[in-house]
Amino acid sequence: MATEGAETVSTADLLVELRDVNKHYGQLHVLQSINLTVGRGEVVVVIGPSGSGKSTLCRAINRLETIESGTIRIDGKPLPEEGKELAKLRADVGMVFQSFNLFAHKTVLENVSLAPIKVRRRKKEDAERRAMELLDRVGLADQAPKYPAQLSGGQQQRVAIARALAMNPKVMLFDEPTSALDPEMINEVLEVMRQLAREGMTMVVVTHEMGFARASANRVVFMDGGRIVEDRAPEAFFTAPESDRAKDFMSKILKH
């Protein structure tokens, strides 16, 4: 198992840390003794075949999925079980899903400003001003008064990214953010993500977009069967994957 790059971050700079994390769905061992660290400002892209545990791993980081054993720490603090502490932690961990999960009955502006008002207790005008800045950043300031149903899938996903950023998260989790999009919309979402990576946002990205992984990741984590099989720099992984499983996976992907 290749793990170069996995332990290069000093403890003070660790933002996400998973130690010996295990999770079952019934008989299926979906996360098997997972050890993973993400340093401040790092972009870690998680790839692998369907059913390898990628999304479960991503969702465990902010406790949308519970774990049975092991520890997960965010910025040095163990993941709380439930209640206010968990809500506070989730405010620090932005999440962008495959489905956009926008509030259909609220405008784009309201979608982005709602959580800062409710959770961070920001004044409405301050939250809306910040929301407009973020909508401008993702190229959608002119869509602020519209409702999600009036937007394309790519636009909705960019609103979802702005909404996550509105909480000023320490880390952003992306769970296959482009897999529900039509091909022509994928790049507009990836461009926003590439820009975040350039600006130093700490990101964990589960994706099938190999171009993004190669160009924007600091590390590529390859999962199979609930395990981390390789954790390496993108160029090393894509040029010469070490495990037979990764070689097989890459040969199938690169044929398309």
Side-chain angles (χ1 to χ4, degrees):
M1 173 171 140
T3 54
E4 66 193 57
E7 298 293 341
T8 56
V9 183
S10 76
T11 310
D13 285 332
L14 281 186
L15 202 48
V16 179
E17 185 180 11
L18 288 82
R19 294 285 174 210
D20 207 24
V21 168
N22 286 276
K23 162 106 182 154
H24 287 79
Y25 291 132
Q27 295 298 303
L28 196 61
H29 198 171
V30 287
L31 295 178
Q32 300 189 36
S33 301
I34 296 291
N35 289 293
L36 178 68
T37 59
V38 182
R40 252 172 255 284
E42 262 197 312
V43 177
V44 174
V45 171
V46 184
I47 64 173
S50 294
S52 58
K54 308 182 301 290
S55 287
T56 305
L57 171 69
C58 188
R59 292 165 67 87
I61 292 173
N62 71 345
R63 216 174 179 279
L64 285 174
E65 294 279 2
T66 56
I67 60 170
E68 284 140 25
S69 63
T71 56
I72 300 177
R73 292 176 179 271
I74 306 291
D75 207 5
K77 294 177 186 160
L79 227 50
E81 290 285 311
E82 55 196 20
K84 282 184 182 172
E85 287 304 307
L86 182 59
K88 196 188 294 181
L89 174 116
R90 283 199 181 131
D92 287 335
V93 182
M95 182 103 191
V96 178
F97 300 90
Q98 189 172 338
S99 53
F100 323 121
N101 291 3
L102 298 174
F103 295 115
H105 60 290
K106 293 194 180 294
T107 65
V108 165
L109 180 63
E110 287 167 340
N111 264 282
V112 178
S113 60
L114 184 68
I117 294 167
K118 297 279 187 197
V119 180
R120 299 275 198 213
R121 303 289 182 217
R122 300 254 162 80
K123 288 181 183 167
K124 186 168 185 274
E125 57 269 29
D126 292 343
E128 288 187 347
R129 186 166 56 245
R130 172 77 174 140
M132 286 304 298
E133 287 171 7
L134 290 167
L135 286 169
D136 187 49
R137 185 170 166 186
V138 300
L140 292 172
D142 57 338
Q143 306 296 318
K146 292 188 178 176
Y147 288 87
Q150 297 172 279
L151 306 183
S152 70
Q155 288 173 321
Q156 289 187 60
Q157 193 61 296
R158 284 186 282 154
V159 172
I161 294 172
R163 180 181 61 180
L165 290 172
M167 296 296 281
N168 294 324
K170 293 176 179 177
V171 56
M172 288 277 284
L173 309 177
F174 293 86
D175 186 10
E176 303 202 17
T178 59
S179 60
L181 299 177
D182 292 333
E184 68 269 22
M185 293 173 190
I186 289 174
N187 201 51
E188 66 191 58
V189 173
L190 289 179
E191 185 46 47
V192 171
M193 294 168 62
R194 284 191 283 263
Q195 185 59 37
L196 287 175
R198 287 192 290 268
E199 291 168 5
M201 173 61 76
T202 308
M203 296 160 65
V204 178
V205 183
V206 174
T207 187
H208 295 288
E209 298 297 329
M210 296 300 140
F212 174 82
R214 194 160 195 161
S216 295
N218 298 99
R219 281 164 41 218
V220 171
V221 169
F222 175 75
M223 289 187 72
D224 184 48
R227 296 180 182 278
I228 291 177
V229 180
E230 299 197 31
D231 179 348
R232 305 173 65 204
E235 205 48 45
F237 177 79
F238 286 112
T239 308
E242 291 187 346
S243 63
D244 290 340
R245 191 64 193 91
K247 285 175 191 165
D248 181 52
F249 175 78
M250 292 307 298
S251 71
K252 286 174 180 160
I253 278 211
L254 298 174
K255 279 176 188 165
H256 292 299

